[in-house]
Amino acid sequence: MPAGLCWPAAAALALLFLALLLALCRHLWALRWSLSRDRASALPLPKGSMGWPFFGETLHWLLQGSRFHSSRRERYGNVFKTHLLGRPVVRVTGAENVRKILLGEHTLVSAQWPQSTQILLGSHTLLGSTGDLHRQRRKGIKARDMLHEFMERAIQEKLQRAISEEHSDALDFIINSAKEHGKEFTMQELKESAIELIFAAFFTTASASTSLILLLLKHPSAIEKIRQELVSHELYPQHQNCPMAPCPGTGRDSEQQLLTTASDAHEDQRQLPDLTEETELGGGCSPNLPALLEPMHPPSSPQPRGCRCPLDISLEQLSRLRYLDCVVKEVLRVLPPVSGGYRTALQTFELDGYQIPKGWSVMYSIRDTHETAAIYQSPPGGFDPDRFNVTHLEAAGRFHYIPFGGGARSCIGKELAQAILKLLAIELVTTARWELATPTFPAMQTVPIVHPVDGLQLYFHPLRPSHGGEA
């Protein structure tokens, strides 16, 4: 220690030196990415921060969650740069910006998802495949291996059966769809396609179903309007003369199927409500949920006089329920199951006055685009199904509302998902009322899909046929 320099002064000097060193490192890190811009383009890089060397802003992102993106959007605008998980990223919000990304598939950008997603689903899925399929294998992922082992046994059983043109389930459809085009899927491709279907179809629909139940609970006026619409279309059961037993010909099969699915989903993924001793939805009349999938069977006994119990709901009837359609759209606008998507820039291109360099990751936000859309008559932050009951929204462009994505990679099951949500809403509002089993509403997590942090725990009470109303 130099003569005359005490310990406190030495410690302060060391801390000052360390602070200057960290500031220099951060400045050099920012300079390194500034110099990576495409010099063939005169446009600047988007505003934003690249964080700390090597770590970028990953720690802030993990700690702040969705607030990370919203705070930086407020500071830098709808297009900003950051550094997450070891890669430079441009975060994109806004209908026109997202439109350019989604319609630029295969020309400006290509699909890119986090490595964890690629490892779990595999390389042959629609989600992660690009123009050139990369058949890179990763071993030792227990969850994926267990799924593949189970799926391979199921596929082998299918292949050993006699060839049939009938599609008894989704796996039959996957197998036969390739044959229709003169191709044969390998076992690996069949397994990965089936597992992708499980993740893409089941978990996103479970997420949307949970959001539907949650938002209807928060907004009981929407439940009442749905009931009124069902009454006007003669789809709401008239309880005055109905017995306590289910309507003839409907039974409890569809309701029990709904409860079993919800219970299994919550046990495995905590996406759907906890079911308690009060969750049975039976008692009185209810529409027949499987009617879209199976033919209606004639009732085994006549209906009591005055008991109007709709035995099935056709797609044509479902399409006439305008307010219910608005409710489902609003649920998917407020809480889209998937918050956004990932792409890689295939070439340097312009976006909102900035250059997006070739090779950089592009993360477009569905949730932020919904929240910031200026085309709605009511504030985007509220829950208002009637915002979709106008005609000018379609004329303003479809990329203000993108719960199913858009372009070449838009969700192929969006019509089925919306039909499932509508049927679920009808089943619930005609058979039950529900309330929280916890003191407060749960916080929502947006990664990997939207879901309540500790599950959505509810009490379900059957509607009493003798009163035609609450239990």
Side-chain angles (χ1 to χ4, degrees), residues 29-268:
W29 176 253
L31 181 63
R32 176 253 186 274
W33 290 110
S34 296
L35 295 176
S36 69
R37 64 180 296 274
D38 188 342
R39 301 190 180 185
S41 172
L43 297 172
L45 289 172
K47 298 177 182 178
S49 171
M50 303 304 281
W52 295 96
F54 305 109
F55 298 102
E57 294 193 299
T58 301
L59 184 60
H60 295 83
W61 174 58
L62 293 174
L63 293 176
Q64 297 178 17
S66 60
R67 180 59 189 162
F68 171 84
H69 296 297
S70 59
S71 63
R72 280 151 182 77
R73 187 186 72 239
E74 293 168 1
R75 187 187 311 173
Y76 302 120
N78 284 343
V79 178
F80 63 88
K81 69 175 184 289
T82 183
H83 194 279
L84 301 175
L85 301 175
R87 290 183 62 89
V89 176
V90 175
R91 172 81 171 188
V92 177
T93 299
E96 287 305 311
N97 296 329
V98 172
R99 176 183 182 276
K100 188 167 186 176
I101 297 298
L102 294 179
L103 296 185
E105 185 73 28
H106 306 311
T107 56
L108 298 179
V109 297
S110 64
Q112 174 226 328
W113 288 89
Q115 189 66 21
S116 58
T117 304
Q118 299 175 27
I119 291 172
L120 185 60
L121 296 183
S123 58
H124 298 96
T125 61
L126 287 172
L127 183 69
S129 61
T130 59
D132 236 349
L133 289 176
H134 298 282
R135 303 174 184 271
Q136 184 178 12
R137 299 287 190 265
R138 286 294 191 94
K139 303 295 183 181
I141 307 301
K142 185 177 180 180
R144 187 190 68 178
D145 290 345
M146 291 175 62
L147 284 170
H148 278 210
E149 182 181 351
F150 172 81
M151 203 60 63
E152 185 165 347
R153 291 198 302 268
I155 294 171
Q156 290 288 5
E157 292 176 4
K158 293 281 187 184
L159 295 177
Q160 289 170 5
R161 293 186 326 189
I163 299 177
S164 174
E165 295 299 324
E166 296 183 359
H167 298 161
S168 61
D169 55 32
L171 191 54
D172 281 327
F173 186 85
I174 293 174
I175 294 173
N176 293 330
S177 63
K179 295 179 180 179
E180 292 173 2
H181 295 87
K183 299 180 180 179
E184 291 283 347
F185 279 147
T186 66
M187 177 60 71
Q188 186 70 12
E189 290 171 331
L190 286 171
K191 288 189 294 185
E192 293 180 358
S193 296
I195 290 171
E196 180 189 23
L197 181 64
I198 294 173
F199 278 83
F202 175 77
F203 290 112
T204 53
T205 304
S207 169
S209 299
T210 304
S211 298
L212 173 70
I213 296 171
L214 174 64
L215 290 173
L216 286 179
L217 180 60
K218 286 185 174 182
H219 303 278
S221 60
I223 296 178
E224 185 57 35
K225 287 185 178 180
I226 293 173
R227 287 174 177 158
Q228 292 173 3
E229 182 174 55
L230 293 175
V231 169
S232 68
H233 287 81
E234 298 185 348
L235 294 174
Y236 191 79
Q238 305 299 311
H239 291 281
Q240 286 79 0
N241 299 313
C242 286
M244 289 296 292
C247 293
T250 60
R252 294 177 182 262
D253 292 344
S254 61
E255 295 158 6
Q256 188 60 44
Q257 181 181 6
L258 172 66
L259 294 174
T260 302
T261 302
S263 178
D264 292 344
H266 178 72
E267 282 187 17
D268 295 340

Side-chain angles (χ1 to χ4, degrees), residues 236-397:
Y236 191 79
Q238 305 299 311
H239 291 281
Q240 286 79 0
N241 299 313
C242 286
M244 289 296 292
C247 293
T250 60
R252 294 177 182 262
D253 292 344
S254 61
E255 295 158 6
Q256 188 60 44
Q257 181 181 6
L258 172 66
L259 294 174
T260 302
T261 302
S263 178
D264 292 344
H266 178 72
E267 282 187 17
D268 295 340
Q269 296 296 327
R270 303 185 67 83
Q271 296 299 316
L272 289 178
D274 282 342
L275 300 177
T276 70
E277 66 276 6
E278 295 187 273
T279 57
E280 187 174 28
L281 301 184
C285 309
S286 64
N288 190 8
L289 272 182
L292 295 179
L293 304 177
E294 300 176 358
M296 182 183 70
H297 298 285
S300 56
S301 59
Q303 294 184 158
R305 182 172 299 175
C307 180
R308 298 170 57 190
C309 303
L311 296 180
D312 65 356
I313 297 177
S314 67
L315 284 173
E316 194 273 332
Q317 287 174 308
L318 208 59
S319 67
R320 293 203 303 261
L321 300 175
R322 178 61 184 166
Y323 183 75
L324 178 59
D325 182 66
C326 292
V327 169
V328 169
K329 287 181 178 178
E330 181 70 348
V331 168
L332 294 173
R333 187 195 69 83
V334 174
L335 292 173
V338 179
S339 297
Y342 302 83
R343 299 290 187 270
T344 296
L346 296 175
Q347 58 177 298
T348 300
F349 62 93
E350 180 272 337
L351 192 67
D352 202 22
Y354 300 104
Q355 65 162 274
I356 310 299
K358 178 182 178 180
W360 280 38
S361 295
V362 179
M363 181 190 300
Y364 68 89
S365 173
I366 294 174
R367 185 182 65 255
D368 289 356
T369 297
H370 288 177
E371 290 179 354
T372 58
I375 65 169
Y376 302 116
Q377 293 180 344
S378 54
F383 182 82
D384 180 17
D386 287 316
R387 77 173 76 246
F388 289 99
N389 200 20
V390 293
T391 57
H392 77 275
L393 292 181
E394 295 183 2

